[in-house]
C-alpha cells in the first residue's frame, strides 16, 4: 500500500490552518484496515484489541504508553468526514497496481451476487404504495411484428406507458434494504453484493451494492462498463450463475463481443412427462412435431413475446394422455429462442464444462472468504452508501492479501503473472 497516495486522497477533507489539530487520518485508515483484515465485529472492539496487541501498535506507530483513538472518532471519520467515493478510489488504485504487475487476465471473468443481511429488524416493516411507470419492450414488439408480417397478420400497435401502483414492504429501520425470502420464508431485509472477479487469481474487479430486490442480470452490463473504465478492456468470456439466464442480457453481451457461459436454469412447468416442451422438434420452418407425432403449425404471436403453434388438424390432441381432456395443446416458443439456443450450445461445449468447475472455485470462494474471514455476512451500517463502503474496504483487503502472496512467490522465482 502506498500511504502517500492515501494522504493525497484525504487531504481535501482536512484544513491546514483552521480548527484544532486532528488525529492522523492515516492512522484512522489503518485502524479500519485492521478491523477488516481480522474480521472484527465493531470499531469499539478493534480499538480494545489495539490497546492490547503490540503488533497493531507497531503498524499504527503508537508508543507503548499512548492510547488508541476513541472508537467514535473512527466511526465519524468513516461516516461523516470522508466522501464515500474516496474508498472506491482507494480500491481502484490497488487494482491498477495489481494490473501493472500483470496479475489480471483479459480472458475470463466470473460474476455473481450474494446476500448481506441488513442491520434492521425484520419485524419492523410497513407497506408503502409506490407509483411505477410500466413501459412495453420495444425490441420484443419489433420481433413479434416481424413474425406476424411474415404470415400476413396485422402488426400490433405499441402501448403507451402506463402508471401503476405497487405495494412494497419497506423497513422502518433501514428503508434502503429490500425484503428477501431466499433464506427465510417469512422474509428478512437484506442487500445484494454484485461482484465481478478475474478467474486467473480471483482478484475482485468490482463490488456493487443494491437492495435485495434487484437481480444481478439488471446491473451486470452497467458494471462491466464500469470495470472497463478501470482496467481498459472487457473479457473474452464471462461465467455466470443460473440467475443470469436472461435473453436480454445474453444479447447485450453478444453485442459487446463477450461469450457468456450461463448455468442451466430449471423452470418448474406443469407438463406431462411424455409431452414436454423441450421434446418438440423443429422439422422445417414454423413446423414443430410433438413426441406423439402431431404437427404444430404457426398460429399467432402475442404481445407477451411468444409465438404460438397449434395442431395442423383440430382435435389431434383429443386422445393424447398429456392433454388431460383440455382440448388441443398450444405450443409456445419465445421470441428469444435463438439466444437461448446459443446459451445452451455454449453450456454443453467442452469449454462450458470446464467453466462449470471454474465458477464455484472463484466467485463463490471470494464470497466465502468475505463472509468467513472479513465479517461481510451482514451489513454493519444502514443505507446503501455506507454498506457500499464496507464492501469496498473488504474487496480491497482481499485483493491486497492475494497480491501479497503472489509477490512473495515472485520473489522466490515463481512468476504467476498473465502470459498469453
Amino acid at each position: 500500500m502506498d500511504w502517500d497516495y492515501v494522504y493525497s486522497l484525504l487531504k481535501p477533507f482536512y484544513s491546514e490552518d483552521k480548527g484544532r489539530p486532528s488525529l492522523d487520518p492515516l492512522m484512522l485508515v489503518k485502524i479500519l484496515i485492521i478491523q477488516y483484515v481480522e474480521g472484527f465485529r465493531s470499531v469499539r472492539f478493534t480499538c480494545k484489541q489495539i490497546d492490547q496487541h503490540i503488533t497493531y501498535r507497531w503498524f499504527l506507530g503508537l508508543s507503548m504508553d499512548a492510547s488508541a483513538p476513541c472508537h467514535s472518532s473512527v466511526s465519524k471519520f468513516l461516516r461523516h468526514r470522508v466522501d464515500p467515493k474516496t474508498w472506491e478510489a482507494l480500491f481502484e488504485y490497488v487494482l491498477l497496481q495489481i494490473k501493472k504487475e500483470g496479475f489480471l487476465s483479459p480472458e475470463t471473468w466470473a460474476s455473481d451476487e450474494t446476500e448481506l443481511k441488513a442491520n434492521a429488524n425484520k419485524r419492523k416493516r410497513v407497506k408503502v404504495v409506490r407509483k411505477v411507470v410500466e413501459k412495453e419492450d420495444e425490441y420484443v414488439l419489433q420481433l413479434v411484428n416481424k413474425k406476424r408480417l411474415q404470415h400476413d397478420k396485422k402488426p400490433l400497435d405499441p402501448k403507451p406507458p402506463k402508471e401503476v401502483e405497487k405495494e412494497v414492504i419497506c423497513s422502518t429501520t433501514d428503508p434502503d434494504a429490500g425484503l428477501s425470502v431466499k433464506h427465510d420464508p417469512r422474509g428478512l431485509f437484506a442487500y445484494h453484493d454484485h461482484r465481478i472477479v478475474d478467474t486467473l487469481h480471483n482478484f475482485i474487479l468490482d463490488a456493487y451494492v443494491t437492495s435485495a430486490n434487484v437481480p444481478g442480470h439488471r446491473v451486470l452490463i452497467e458494471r462491466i462498463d464500469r470495470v472497463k473504465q478501470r482496467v481498459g478492456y472487457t473479457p473474452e468470456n464471462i461465467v455466470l450463475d443460473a440467475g443470469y439466464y436472461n435473453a436480454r442480457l445474453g444479447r447485450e453481451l453478444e453485442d459487446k463481443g463477450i461469450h457468456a457461459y450461463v448455468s442451466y436454469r430449471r423452470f418448474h412447468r406443469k407438463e406431462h412427462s411424455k409431452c414436454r416442451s423441450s421434446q418438440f422438434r423443429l422439422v422445417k420452418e414454423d413446423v414443430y412435431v410433438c413426441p406423439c407425432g402431431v404437427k404444430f403449425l404457426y398460429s399467432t404471436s402475442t404481445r407477451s413475446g411468444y409465438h404460438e403453434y397449434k395442431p395442423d388438424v383440430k382435435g389431434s390432441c383429443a386422445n393424447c394422455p398429456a392433454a388431460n381432456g383440455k382440448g388441443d395443446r398450444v405450443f409456445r416458443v419465445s421470441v428469444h429462442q435463438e439466444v437461448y439456443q446459443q446459451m445452451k450450445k455454449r453450456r454443453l461445449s467442452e469449454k462450458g464444462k470446464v467453466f462449470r468447475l471454474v465458477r464455484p472455485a472463484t466467485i463463490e470462494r471470494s464470497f466465502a472468504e468475505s463472509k468467513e474471514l472479513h465479517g461481510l455476512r451482514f451489513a454493519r451500517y444502514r443505507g446503501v452508501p455506507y454498506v457500499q463502503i464496507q464492501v469496498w474496504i473488504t474487496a480491497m483487503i482481499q485483493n491486497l492479501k492475494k497480491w501479497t502472496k503472489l509477490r512473495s512467490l515472485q520473489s522466490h522465482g515463481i512468476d504467476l503473472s498473465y502470459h498469453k
Side-chain angles (χ1 to χ4, degrees), residues 110-112 195-197 202 359-367:
S111 180
D112 202 357
R195 186 171 293 190
I196 300 176
V197 302
N202 209 17
R359 192 190 65 82
T362 53
I363 185 71
E364 298 292 353
R365 181 179 177 180
S366 179
F367 285 137

Side-chain angles (χ1 to χ4, degrees), residues 1-177:
M1 176 68 76
D2 185 357
W3 302 118
D4 291 334
Y5 179 77
V6 178
Y7 270 124
S8 66
L9 284 178
L10 302 177
K11 186 176 181 180
F13 305 105
Y14 286 86
S15 175
E16 296 181 357
D17 56 353
K18 296 180 181 177
R20 296 181 301 170
S22 67
L23 292 170
D24 187 358
L26 182 59
M27 181 187 297
L28 303 180
V29 172
K30 287 183 176 182
I31 290 174
L32 292 171
I33 289 178
I34 291 173
Q35 179 188 357
Y36 283 84
V37 167
E38 301 292 353
F40 293 149
R41 62 182 180 270
S42 65
V43 178
R44 186 192 297 267
F45 183 79
T46 304
C47 293
K48 289 182 179 179
Q49 294 299 309
I50 291 171
D51 283 331
Q52 299 172 5
H53 290 267
I54 192 172
T55 308
Y56 299 152
R57 288 180 169 275
W58 167 83
F59 181 60
L60 297 177
L62 288 175
S63 61
M64 294 300 296
D65 56 347
S67 60
C70 178
H71 62 88
S72 63
S73 300
V74 184
S75 298
K76 291 178 180 178
F77 168 80
L78 178 72
R79 294 176 59 88
H80 305 296
R81 170 68 69 177
V82 180
D83 189 350
K85 294 182 179 179
T86 304
W87 303 104
E88 182 180 4
L90 191 57
F91 165 81
E92 291 180 354
Y93 175 78
V94 173
L95 187 64
L96 289 177
Q97 301 308 308
I98 295 171
K99 180 195 171 188
K100 286 181 181 178
E101 297 194 5
F103 292 121
L104 299 183
S105 167
E107 293 186 2
T108 308
W109 292 353
S111 180
D112 202 357
E113 63 189 38
T114 190
E115 188 177 283
L116 310 180
K117 185 179 178 182
N119 186 9
N121 190 336
K122 64 182 180 181
R123 295 179 180 84
K124 293 184 178 180
R125 56 178 71 182
V126 63
K127 292 183 180 180
V128 178
V129 177
R130 294 178 180 175
K131 292 184 178 180
V132 181
V133 178
E134 292 184 348
K135 296 182 180 179
E136 190 174 29
D137 193 329
E138 297 179 0
Y139 184 75
V140 172
L141 186 63
Q142 182 181 350
L143 294 177
V144 168
N145 286 336
K146 181 180 178 181
K147 191 75 169 181
R148 293 178 68 92
L149 291 173
Q150 288 178 359
H151 293 269
D152 299 326
K153 291 183 177 292
K154 182 181 178 181
L156 302 175
D157 296 328
K159 283 186 175 180
K162 182 181 178 181
E163 188 177 72
V164 297
E165 293 184 349
K166 288 190 176 182
E167 194 176 70
V168 183
I169 298 177
C170 295
S171 169
T172 57
T173 309
D174 186 358
D176 287 355

Side-chain angles (χ1 to χ4, degrees), residues 271-380:
E271 294 181 321
H272 198 276
S273 59
K274 295 183 179 179
C275 192
R276 298 182 184 276
S277 301
S278 58
Q279 297 172 340
F280 278 66
R281 295 180 294 108
L282 179 66
V283 293
K284 61 180 181 179
E285 187 178 1
D286 290 333
V287 178
Y288 285 85
V289 176
C290 76
C292 300
V294 179
K295 285 186 178 180
F296 282 70
L297 304 182
Y298 176 82
S299 174
T300 186
S301 295
T302 62
R303 192 180 293 272
S304 57
Y306 287 94
H307 306 310
E308 293 187 350
Y309 295 82
K310 295 183 178 180
D312 185 16
V313 180
K314 191 174 182 180
S316 299
C317 298
N319 299 321
C320 179
N324 296 326
K326 296 181 180 179
D328 291 337
R329 175 173 180 172
V330 178
F331 175 62
R332 294 179 176 84
V333 179
S334 172
V335 296
H336 308 293
Q337 188 65 20
E338 294 182 1
V339 180
Y340 290 134
Q341 290 293 338
Q342 183 67 25
M343 287 182 177
K344 181 179 179 180
K345 183 179 178 181
R346 285 212 182 94
R347 186 181 71 250
L348 299 178
S349 64
E350 291 298 324
K351 187 181 286 188
K353 293 177 182 179
V354 174
F355 285 154
R356 192 183 304 171
L357 303 176
V358 168
R359 192 190 65 82
T362 53
I363 185 71
E364 298 292 353
R365 181 179 177 180
S366 179
F367 285 137
E369 290 179 355
S370 298
K371 294 183 177 183
E372 289 294 326
L373 304 179
H374 306 292
L376 199 64
R377 194 174 297 278
F378 59 91
R380 291 193 177 99

